[in-house]
mmCIF file of all heavy atoms in Angstrom:
data_model
loop_
_atom_site.group_PDB
_atom_site.id
_atom_site.type_symbol
_atom_site.label_atom_id
_atom_site.label_comp_id
_atom_site.label_asym_id
_atom_site.label_seq_id
_atom_site.Cartn_x
_atom_site.Cartn_y
_atom_site.Cartn_z
ATOM 1 N N ASN A 44 -69.704 -25.950 -19.393
ATOM 2 C CA ASN A 44 -70.580 -26.874 -20.096
ATOM 3 C C ASN A 44 -71.987 -26.913 -19.490
ATOM 4 O O ASN A 44 -72.553 -27.976 -19.219
ATOM 5 C CB ASN A 44 -69.995 -28.283 -20.133
ATOM 6 C CG ASN A 44 -69.213 -28.475 -21.395
ATOM 7 O OD1 ASN A 44 -69.635 -28.049 -22.469
ATOM 8 N ND2 ASN A 44 -68.019 -29.067 -21.250
ATOM 9 N N SER A 46 -75.932 -24.662 -19.375
ATOM 10 C CA SER A 46 -76.718 -23.719 -20.168
ATOM 11 C C SER A 46 -76.756 -22.399 -19.414
ATOM 12 O O SER A 46 -76.566 -22.354 -18.213
ATOM 13 C CB SER A 46 -78.122 -24.260 -20.313
ATOM 14 O OG SER A 46 -78.830 -24.100 -19.110
ATOM 15 N N SER A 48 -79.182 -20.603 -18.660
ATOM 16 C CA SER A 48 -80.243 -20.523 -17.643
ATOM 17 C C SER A 48 -79.784 -21.125 -16.312
ATOM 18 O O SER A 48 -80.080 -20.551 -15.258
ATOM 19 C CB SER A 48 -81.546 -21.133 -18.104
ATOM 20 O OG SER A 48 -81.305 -22.350 -18.760
ATOM 21 N N THR A 49 -79.034 -22.186 -16.376
ATOM 22 C CA THR A 49 -78.503 -22.759 -15.161
ATOM 23 C C THR A 49 -77.587 -21.792 -14.458
ATOM 24 O O THR A 49 -77.675 -21.566 -13.286
ATOM 25 C CB THR A 49 -77.728 -24.042 -15.447
ATOM 26 O OG1 THR A 49 -78.564 -24.916 -16.222
ATOM 27 C CG2 THR A 49 -77.279 -24.723 -14.186
ATOM 28 N N ARG A 52 -79.554 -19.031 -12.866
ATOM 29 C CA ARG A 52 -80.201 -19.472 -11.621
ATOM 30 C C ARG A 52 -79.174 -19.625 -10.507
ATOM 31 O O ARG A 52 -79.418 -19.242 -9.369
ATOM 32 C CB ARG A 52 -80.950 -20.739 -11.875
ATOM 33 C CG ARG A 52 -82.355 -20.426 -12.428
ATOM 34 C CD ARG A 52 -83.085 -21.729 -12.665
ATOM 35 N NE ARG A 52 -82.551 -22.383 -13.860
ATOM 36 C CZ ARG A 52 -83.329 -22.956 -14.782
ATOM 37 N NH1 ARG A 52 -84.630 -22.974 -14.656
ATOM 38 N NH2 ARG A 52 -82.785 -23.526 -15.818
ATOM 39 N N GLY A 59 -83.483 -25.446 -6.670
ATOM 40 C CA GLY A 59 -83.362 -26.511 -7.656
ATOM 41 C C GLY A 59 -82.084 -26.460 -8.494
ATOM 42 O O GLY A 59 -82.123 -26.814 -9.655
ATOM 43 N N SER A 61 -78.051 -27.780 -8.005
ATOM 44 C CA SER A 61 -77.251 -28.535 -7.078
ATOM 45 C C SER A 61 -76.209 -27.639 -6.469
ATOM 46 O O SER A 61 -75.749 -26.650 -7.045
ATOM 47 C CB SER A 61 -76.576 -29.708 -7.785
ATOM 48 O OG SER A 61 -75.477 -29.223 -8.561
ATOM 49 N N THR A 64 -72.938 -27.255 -8.435
ATOM 50 C CA THR A 64 -73.014 -26.381 -9.607
ATOM 51 C C THR A 64 -72.979 -24.910 -9.191
ATOM 52 O O THR A 64 -72.222 -24.127 -9.738
ATOM 53 C CB THR A 64 -74.320 -26.670 -10.378
ATOM 54 O OG1 THR A 64 -74.412 -28.054 -10.655
ATOM 55 C CG2 THR A 64 -74.372 -25.886 -11.669
ATOM 56 N N LEU A 86 -83.798 -4.034 -20.184
ATOM 57 C CA LEU A 86 -84.737 -4.460 -21.191
ATOM 58 C C LEU A 86 -85.863 -5.274 -20.611
ATOM 59 O O LEU A 86 -86.994 -5.180 -21.017
ATOM 60 C CB LEU A 86 -84.026 -5.277 -22.258
ATOM 61 C CG LEU A 86 -83.211 -4.470 -23.258
ATOM 62 C CD1 LEU A 86 -82.622 -5.421 -24.300
ATOM 63 C CD2 LEU A 86 -84.053 -3.441 -23.935
ATOM 64 N N LYS A 87 -85.510 -6.062 -19.627
ATOM 65 C CA LYS A 87 -86.522 -6.876 -18.961
ATOM 66 C C LYS A 87 -87.321 -6.085 -17.928
ATOM 67 O O LYS A 87 -88.530 -6.016 -17.968
ATOM 68 C CB LYS A 87 -85.866 -8.062 -18.239
ATOM 69 C CG LYS A 87 -84.933 -8.879 -19.047
ATOM 70 C CD LYS A 87 -85.412 -10.335 -19.162
ATOM 71 C CE LYS A 87 -86.527 -10.464 -20.106
ATOM 72 N NZ LYS A 87 -86.955 -11.814 -20.391
ATOM 73 P P DG D 20 -81.251 -31.786 -6.297
ATOM 74 O OP1 DG D 20 -80.812 -32.847 -5.592
ATOM 75 O OP2 DG D 20 -82.513 -31.131 -6.195
ATOM 76 O "O5'" DG D 20 -80.491 -31.183 -7.476
ATOM 77 C "C5'" DG D 20 -81.264 -30.793 -8.567
ATOM 78 C "C4'" DG D 20 -80.442 -31.116 -9.824
ATOM 79 O "O4'" DG D 20 -81.355 -31.548 -10.847
ATOM 80 C "C3'" DG D 20 -79.744 -29.903 -10.382
ATOM 81 O "O3'" DG D 20 -78.647 -30.413 -11.139
ATOM 82 C "C2'" DG D 20 -80.766 -29.297 -11.281
ATOM 83 C "C1'" DG D 20 -81.575 -30.476 -11.760
ATOM 84 N N9 DG D 20 -83.020 -30.195 -11.789
ATOM 85 C C8 DG D 20 -83.816 -29.654 -10.823
ATOM 86 N N7 DG D 20 -85.062 -29.569 -11.175
ATOM 87 C C5 DG D 20 -85.123 -30.026 -12.463
ATOM 88 C C6 DG D 20 -86.180 -30.169 -13.372
ATOM 89 O O6 DG D 20 -87.370 -29.865 -13.182
ATOM 90 N N1 DG D 20 -85.762 -30.747 -14.594
ATOM 91 C C2 DG D 20 -84.479 -31.130 -14.884
ATOM 92 N N2 DG D 20 -84.271 -31.624 -16.072
ATOM 93 N N3 DG D 20 -83.462 -30.988 -14.039
ATOM 94 C C4 DG D 20 -83.833 -30.469 -12.856
ATOM 95 P P DT D 21 -77.724 -29.413 -11.902
ATOM 96 O OP1 DT D 21 -76.459 -30.138 -12.193
ATOM 97 O OP2 DT D 21 -77.743 -28.193 -11.108
ATOM 98 O "O5'" DT D 21 -78.439 -29.177 -13.294
ATOM 99 C "C5'" DT D 21 -78.246 -30.091 -14.315
ATOM 100 C "C4'" DT D 21 -79.142 -29.736 -15.462
ATOM 101 O "O4'" DT D 21 -80.486 -29.446 -15.052
ATOM 102 C "C3'" DT D 21 -78.712 -28.485 -16.222
ATOM 103 O "O3'" DT D 21 -78.051 -28.928 -17.393
ATOM 104 C "C2'" DT D 21 -80.033 -27.776 -16.549
ATOM 105 C "C1'" DT D 21 -81.074 -28.742 -16.067
ATOM 106 N N1 DT D 21 -82.343 -28.179 -15.570
ATOM 107 C C2 DT D 21 -83.438 -28.224 -16.396
ATOM 108 O O2 DT D 21 -83.411 -28.672 -17.514
ATOM 109 N N3 DT D 21 -84.571 -27.679 -15.860
ATOM 110 C C4 DT D 21 -84.713 -27.127 -14.580
ATOM 111 O O4 DT D 21 -85.772 -26.660 -14.190
ATOM 112 C C5 DT D 21 -83.515 -27.109 -13.786
ATOM 113 C C7 DT D 21 -83.549 -26.558 -12.395
ATOM 114 C C6 DT D 21 -82.399 -27.633 -14.312
ATOM 115 P P DG D 22 -77.458 -27.867 -18.397
ATOM 116 O OP1 DG D 22 -76.249 -28.480 -18.974
ATOM 117 O OP2 DG D 22 -77.399 -26.585 -17.728
ATOM 118 O "O5'" DG D 22 -78.576 -27.819 -19.540
ATOM 119 C "C5'" DG D 22 -78.972 -29.045 -20.190
ATOM 120 C "C4'" DG D 22 -80.075 -28.725 -21.153
ATOM 121 O "O4'" DG D 22 -81.275 -28.340 -20.399
ATOM 122 C "C3'" DG D 22 -79.784 -27.585 -22.135
ATOM 123 O "O3'" DG D 22 -80.289 -27.949 -23.410
ATOM 124 C "C2'" DG D 22 -80.626 -26.427 -21.542
ATOM 125 C "C1'" DG D 22 -81.830 -27.182 -20.962
ATOM 126 N N9 DG D 22 -82.449 -26.451 -19.876
ATOM 127 C C8 DG D 22 -81.829 -26.034 -18.720
ATOM 128 N N7 DG D 22 -82.672 -25.427 -17.894
ATOM 129 C C5 DG D 22 -83.888 -25.446 -18.535
ATOM 130 C C6 DG D 22 -85.152 -24.974 -18.145
ATOM 131 O O6 DG D 22 -85.435 -24.376 -17.103
ATOM 132 N N1 DG D 22 -86.135 -25.191 -19.121
ATOM 133 C C2 DG D 22 -85.900 -25.838 -20.313
ATOM 134 N N2 DG D 22 -86.972 -25.962 -21.117
ATOM 135 N N3 DG D 22 -84.733 -26.295 -20.709
ATOM 136 C C4 DG D 22 -83.771 -26.088 -19.760
ATOM 137 P P DA D 23 -79.975 -27.119 -24.661
ATOM 138 O OP1 DA D 23 -79.005 -27.834 -25.481
ATOM 139 O OP2 DA D 23 -79.650 -25.757 -24.176
ATOM 140 O "O5'" DA D 23 -81.384 -27.070 -25.433
ATOM 141 C "C5'" DA D 23 -82.553 -27.578 -24.845
ATOM 142 C "C4'" DA D 23 -83.743 -26.874 -25.511
ATOM 143 O "O4'" DA D 23 -84.500 -26.142 -24.481
ATOM 144 C "C3'" DA D 23 -83.456 -25.863 -26.576
ATOM 145 O "O3'" DA D 23 -84.567 -25.853 -27.483
ATOM 146 C "C2'" DA D 23 -83.311 -24.579 -25.808
ATOM 147 C "C1'" DA D 23 -84.420 -24.742 -24.754
ATOM 148 N N9 DA D 23 -84.083 -24.076 -23.449
ATOM 149 C C8 DA D 23 -82.916 -24.019 -22.850
ATOM 150 N N7 DA D 23 -82.922 -23.354 -21.701
ATOM 151 C C5 DA D 23 -84.253 -23.038 -21.564
ATOM 152 C C6 DA D 23 -84.965 -22.370 -20.517
ATOM 153 N N6 DA D 23 -84.385 -21.904 -19.395
ATOM 154 N N1 DA D 23 -86.297 -22.227 -20.660
ATOM 155 C C2 DA D 23 -86.880 -22.684 -21.793
ATOM 156 N N3 DA D 23 -86.323 -23.349 -22.794
ATOM 157 C C4 DA D 23 -85.002 -23.485 -22.608
ATOM 158 P P DA D 24 -84.814 -24.781 -28.566
ATOM 159 O OP1 DA D 24 -85.576 -25.452 -29.648
ATOM 160 O OP2 DA D 24 -83.509 -24.132 -28.883
ATOM 161 O "O5'" DA D 24 -85.756 -23.723 -27.864
ATOM 162 C "C5'" DA D 24 -87.006 -24.143 -27.351
ATOM 163 C "C4'" DA D 24 -87.876 -22.919 -27.032
ATOM 164 O "O4'" DA D 24 -87.418 -22.332 -25.795
ATOM 165 C "C3'" DA D 24 -87.790 -21.809 -28.084
ATOM 166 O "O3'" DA D 24 -89.061 -21.160 -28.121
ATOM 167 C "C2'" DA D 24 -86.718 -20.898 -27.523
ATOM 168 C "C1'" DA D 24 -87.019 -20.967 -26.039
ATOM 169 N N9 DA D 24 -85.870 -20.712 -25.174
ATOM 170 C C8 DA D 24 -84.574 -21.024 -25.372
ATOM 171 N N7 DA D 24 -83.762 -20.656 -24.411
ATOM 172 C C5 DA D 24 -84.625 -20.100 -23.481
ATOM 173 C C6 DA D 24 -84.412 -19.540 -22.200
ATOM 174 N N6 DA D 24 -83.222 -19.471 -21.641
ATOM 175 N N1 DA D 24 -85.534 -19.070 -21.541
ATOM 176 C C2 DA D 24 -86.718 -19.160 -22.143
ATOM 177 N N3 DA D 24 -87.031 -19.678 -23.310
ATOM 178 C C4 DA D 24 -85.932 -20.131 -23.937
ATOM 179 P P DT D 25 -89.413 -20.142 -29.251
ATOM 180 O OP1 DT D 25 -90.658 -20.600 -29.870
ATOM 181 O OP2 DT D 25 -88.183 -19.914 -30.030
ATOM 182 O "O5'" DT D 25 -89.692 -18.845 -28.378
ATOM 183 C "C5'" DT D 25 -90.650 -18.915 -27.285
ATOM 184 C "C4'" DT D 25 -90.577 -17.659 -26.475
ATOM 185 O "O4'" DT D 25 -89.386 -17.663 -25.665
ATOM 186 C "C3'" DT D 25 -90.514 -16.356 -27.314
ATOM 187 O "O3'" DT D 25 -91.597 -15.511 -26.886
ATOM 188 C "C2'" DT D 25 -89.158 -15.757 -26.972
ATOM 189 C "C1'" DT D 25 -88.845 -16.373 -25.588
ATOM 190 N N1 DT D 25 -87.405 -16.475 -25.201
ATOM 191 C C2 DT D 25 -87.057 -16.073 -23.964
ATOM 192 O O2 DT D 25 -87.787 -15.635 -23.158
ATOM 193 N N3 DT D 25 -85.704 -16.268 -23.689
ATOM 194 C C4 DT D 25 -84.746 -16.794 -24.548
ATOM 195 O O4 DT D 25 -83.598 -16.900 -24.175
ATOM 196 C C5 DT D 25 -85.206 -17.149 -25.876
ATOM 197 C C7 DT D 25 -84.238 -17.711 -26.863
ATOM 198 C C6 DT D 25 -86.508 -16.971 -26.117
ATOM 199 P P DG D 26 -92.116 -14.416 -27.900
ATOM 200 O OP1 DG D 26 -93.601 -14.485 -27.868
ATOM 201 O OP2 DG D 26 -91.401 -14.458 -29.177
ATOM 202 O "O5'" DG D 26 -91.699 -13.068 -27.110
ATOM 203 C "C5'" DG D 26 -91.879 -12.978 -25.712
ATOM 204 C "C4'" DG D 26 -91.037 -11.851 -25.142
ATOM 205 O "O4'" DG D 26 -89.657 -12.385 -24.915
ATOM 206 C "C3'" DG D 26 -90.855 -10.654 -26.118
ATOM 207 O "O3'" DG D 26 -90.988 -9.461 -25.382
ATOM 208 C "C2'" DG D 26 -89.398 -10.792 -26.611
ATOM 209 C "C1'" DG D 26 -88.719 -11.411 -25.414
ATOM 210 N N9 DG D 26 -87.495 -12.133 -25.700
ATOM 211 C C8 DG D 26 -87.115 -12.753 -26.887
ATOM 212 N N7 DG D 26 -85.940 -13.278 -26.841
ATOM 213 C C5 DG D 26 -85.481 -13.015 -25.523
ATOM 214 C C6 DG D 26 -84.265 -13.351 -24.886
ATOM 215 O O6 DG D 26 -83.297 -13.960 -25.359
ATOM 216 N N1 DG D 26 -84.220 -12.877 -23.574
ATOM 217 C C2 DG D 26 -85.251 -12.168 -22.978
ATOM 218 N N2 DG D 26 -85.025 -11.785 -21.736
ATOM 219 N N3 DG D 26 -86.366 -11.830 -23.573
ATOM 220 C C4 DG D 26 -86.421 -12.304 -24.835
ATOM 221 P P DC D 27 -91.604 -8.187 -26.083
ATOM 222 O OP1 DC D 27 -93.030 -8.031 -25.712
ATOM 223 O OP2 DC D 27 -91.202 -8.290 -27.492
ATOM 224 O "O5'" DC D 27 -90.759 -6.999 -25.411
ATOM 225 C "C5'" DC D 27 -90.734 -6.825 -23.990
ATOM 226 C "C4'" DC D 27 -89.398 -6.254 -23.635
ATOM 227 O "O4'" DC D 27 -88.431 -7.287 -23.668
ATOM 228 C "C3'" DC D 27 -88.880 -5.242 -24.665
ATOM 229 O "O3'" DC D 27 -89.290 -3.912 -24.269
ATOM 230 C "C2'" DC D 27 -87.367 -5.356 -24.586
ATOM 231 C "C1'" DC D 27 -87.147 -6.719 -23.891
ATOM 232 N N1 DC D 27 -86.343 -7.693 -24.646
ATOM 233 C C2 DC D 27 -85.293 -8.360 -24.060
ATOM 234 O O2 DC D 27 -84.998 -8.112 -22.896
ATOM 235 N N3 DC D 27 -84.541 -9.214 -24.792
ATOM 236 C C4 DC D 27 -84.850 -9.476 -26.069
ATOM 237 N N4 DC D 27 -84.111 -10.363 -26.733
ATOM 238 C C5 DC D 27 -85.958 -8.828 -26.708
ATOM 239 C C6 DC D 27 -86.654 -7.964 -25.985
ATOM 240 P P DG D 28 -89.827 -2.912 -25.354
ATOM 241 O OP1 DG D 28 -90.360 -1.736 -24.648
ATOM 242 O OP2 DG D 28 -90.661 -3.646 -26.306
ATOM 243 O "O5'" DG D 28 -88.506 -2.497 -26.074
ATOM 244 C "C5'" DG D 28 -87.587 -1.588 -25.462
ATOM 245 C "C4'" DG D 28 -86.560 -1.115 -26.490
ATOM 246 O "O4'" DG D 28 -85.781 -2.255 -26.886
ATOM 247 C "C3'" DG D 28 -87.176 -0.532 -27.783
ATOM 248 O "O3'" DG D 28 -86.449 0.634 -28.116
ATOM 249 C "C2'" DG D 28 -86.983 -1.666 -28.792
ATOM 250 C "C1'" DG D 28 -85.734 -2.351 -28.310
ATOM 251 N N9 DG D 28 -85.640 -3.778 -28.591
ATOM 252 C C8 DG D 28 -86.663 -4.666 -28.708
ATOM 253 N N7 DG D 28 -86.274 -5.914 -28.918
ATOM 254 C C5 DG D 28 -84.877 -5.799 -28.964
ATOM 255 C C6 DG D 28 -83.889 -6.804 -29.164
ATOM 256 O O6 DG D 28 -84.049 -8.014 -29.375
ATOM 257 N N1 DG D 28 -82.615 -6.279 -29.158
ATOM 258 C C2 DG D 28 -82.316 -4.952 -28.934
ATOM 259 N N2 DG D 28 -81.033 -4.635 -28.906
ATOM 260 N N3 DG D 28 -83.236 -3.998 -28.734
ATOM 261 C C4 DG D 28 -84.479 -4.495 -28.772
ATOM 262 P P DC D 29 -86.693 1.390 -29.498
ATOM 263 O OP1 DC D 29 -86.407 2.801 -29.281
ATOM 264 O OP2 DC D 29 -87.961 0.949 -30.089
ATOM 265 O "O5'" DC D 29 -85.483 0.797 -30.343
ATOM 266 C "C5'" DC D 29 -84.142 1.002 -29.909
ATOM 267 C "C4'" DC D 29 -83.211 0.170 -30.745
ATOM 268 O "O4'" DC D 29 -83.565 -1.190 -30.630
ATOM 269 C "C3'" DC D 29 -83.243 0.483 -32.273
ATOM 270 O "O3'" DC D 29 -82.198 1.377 -32.554
ATOM 271 C "C2'" DC D 29 -83.014 -0.884 -32.910
ATOM 272 C "C1'" DC D 29 -82.991 -1.868 -31.739
ATOM 273 N N1 DC D 29 -83.749 -3.121 -31.947
ATOM 274 C C2 DC D 29 -83.066 -4.292 -32.198
ATOM 275 O O2 DC D 29 -81.816 -4.281 -32.278
ATOM 276 N N3 DC D 29 -83.732 -5.445 -32.382
ATOM 277 C C4 DC D 29 -85.078 -5.425 -32.272
ATOM 278 N N4 DC D 29 -85.725 -6.612 -32.477
ATOM 279 C C5 DC D 29 -85.824 -4.251 -32.028
ATOM 280 C C6 DC D 29 -85.141 -3.126 -31.849
#
Side-chain angles (χ1 to χ4, degrees):
Chain A
N44 268 316
S46 74
S48 41
T49 306
R52 276 178 287 221
S61 75
T64 307
L86 282 184
K87 307 241 77 173

